Amino acid sequence: MGRFTLPRDLYHGKGALAELANLKGKKAVVCVGGGSMKRFGFLDRAIGYLEQAGMEVKLIEGIESDPSVETVMKGAAVMSEFEPDWIVAMGGGSPIDAAKAMWVKYEYPEITFEEMCKVFGMPELRKKAHFCAISSTSGTATEVTAFSVITDYEKGIKYPLADFEITPDVAIVDPDLAETMPKKLVAHTGMDALTHAIEAYVSTANCDFTDPLALHAIKMIQRDLIGSYEGDMAKRDSMHNAQCLAGMAFSNALLGIVHSMAHKTGAAFQDYGAHIIHGAANAMYLPKVIKFNAKDPTAKKRYGEIADYIKLGGSNDDEKVDLLIKFVRDMNDKLNIAQCIKNYGADSYPCEQGFVPENVFLERLPEIAKNAIADACTGSNPRIPTQEEMEKLLKCCYYDTEVDF
């Protein structure tokens, strides 16, 4: 038996933020990030709508990119004191992901972070509060998903929390918010969305309900991402919908090892001055994983179907796989994203020598590979790599060499 779960209500289109005025409750806590929502006036508007709904409002501000376990625990403590019946998270993936984890801790104060990480093992939520997510970036789609990613900085590892319990009750997909994204964020979040859709389509958990969402998202991203990056606001608005469709697909079809590798490399070299930004990591690793997975006959056929759907050409599945890989790499070039870790600069832009030294990468490789295999996203990948294969794959992602195994 399969399961397909989405938010009960999804409000979309310009001005959808106003739907906050129709929420029913007494108290709302609003979780936001580093200030863009305040700077562009969206936070004040959200507070106004909630107060119009008759709610007392409290803010949890300053949630960092790649939110930490400590941030989650502090936020949950604020919620426990305030006792909201609505948790409203707005901004990029980070504040929404953090708020999802805070929600679990608020409802179950005794739960540990390790217990929260048990895949599809969350206790039943909504005993104390419901959850509304408002996305301002066009990539993570966490406003419609059963996932949250939290970073343990002591271990240098990102942990995906996965359970349908943390799927928001209400999602607001208002393109006005996405129009404020800086160019680099458009690139990274857009490639994150493309990775979501492609991984969902070839996942071992794909089904008739997820396939159309994934394929249409890929077609929209092919059509609109570059234009959005170049400042076309109609295409920016369209990308906000495309990433949400990709999120609906992967929340139910699950993901694969592109995400496993991105989770486990993202913070692994933070002591060298930077993170490998999640969307950029996906963009670099996706071509290598397509080649690796295409050794599986079913995955190869499905990659061929993607290539057909977006009219890439090719007379057989091998050619179609290569054309799909070329399509992804061409997107990276147009979006100014490096093709490999070796050329990934601390500012995320391509450069001759990236911020991750070769000797450090090789020294940490066995542990990173082991953690990637153990990641929650690996189980639904078409091929489950061995330790040796994962190390070889990560080396290909470092050096930008061919995958032939």
Side-chain angles (χ1 to χ4, degrees), residues 1-3 120 147 195-211 214 249-258 260 289 292-300 302-303 306 375-385:
M1 183 190 78
R3 178 174 175 178
F120 293 98
F147 297 92
T195 306
H196 289 156
I198 291 176
E199 288 211 290
Y201 193 74
V202 301
S203 157
T204 57
N206 75 74
C207 68
D208 291 340
F209 299 94
T210 58
D211 284 353
F250 92 77
S251 186
N252 292 279
L254 309 180
L255 291 166
I257 58 171
V258 179
S260 303
V289 170
F292 175 80
N293 283 343
K295 289 279 197 290
D296 174 87
T298 303
K300 183 196 281 190
R302 291 182 73 81
Y303 286 131
I306 293 172
D375 188 89
C377 295
T378 299
S380 45
N381 195 68
R383 279 182 78 190
I384 305 298

Side-chain angles (χ1 to χ4, degrees), residues 255-268:
L255 291 166
I257 58 171
V258 179
H259 272 76
S260 303
M261 293 154 65
H263 291 151
K264 294 337 186 209
T265 53

Side-chain angles (χ1 to χ4, degrees), residues 84-230:
D85 44 18
W86 274 99
I87 297 165
V88 177
M90 66 187 302
S94 295
I96 299 173
D97 279 6
K100 285 180 176 180
M102 291 172 192
W103 183 24
V104 180
K105 184 71 176 172
Y106 166 51
E107 298 233 358
Y108 293 90
E110 303 307 313
I111 199 168
T112 65
F113 181 67
E114 289 69 31
E115 289 168 334
M116 289 162 66
C117 291
K118 185 181 174 189
V119 179
F120 293 98
M122 295 267 187
E124 185 181 345
L125 298 180
R126 298 164 179 82
K127 309 280 189 187
K128 296 180 181 178
H130 285 82
F131 195 99
C132 173
I134 308 160
S135 54
S136 68
T137 61
S138 302
T140 69
T142 189
E143 73 275 6
V144 293
T145 75
F147 297 92
S148 160
V149 179
I150 305 298
T151 304
D152 184 329
Y153 283 90
E154 281 185 26
K155 295 180 180 174
I157 294 176
K158 296 185 179 186
Y159 289 96
L161 312 186
D163 198 288
F164 289 117
E165 284 296 323
I166 59 172
T167 305
D169 299 288
V170 175
I172 293 177
V173 183
D174 187 331
D176 285 341
L177 281 70
E179 290 184 5
T180 66
M181 282 193 294
K183 201 168 180 178
K184 182 161 76 171
L185 192 58
V186 172
H188 293 161
T189 55
M191 290 306 288
D192 191 20
L194 180 65
T195 306
H196 289 156
I198 291 176
E199 288 211 290
Y201 193 74
V202 301
S203 157
T204 57
N206 75 74
C207 68
D208 291 340
F209 299 94
T210 58
D211 284 353
L213 294 165
L215 286 174
H216 191 58
I218 294 165
K219 180 175 269 191
M220 290 177 74
I221 293 165
Q222 178 195 36
R223 185 190 70 202
D224 295 326
L225 176 54
I226 302 303
S228 171
Y229 178 71
E230 291 170 348

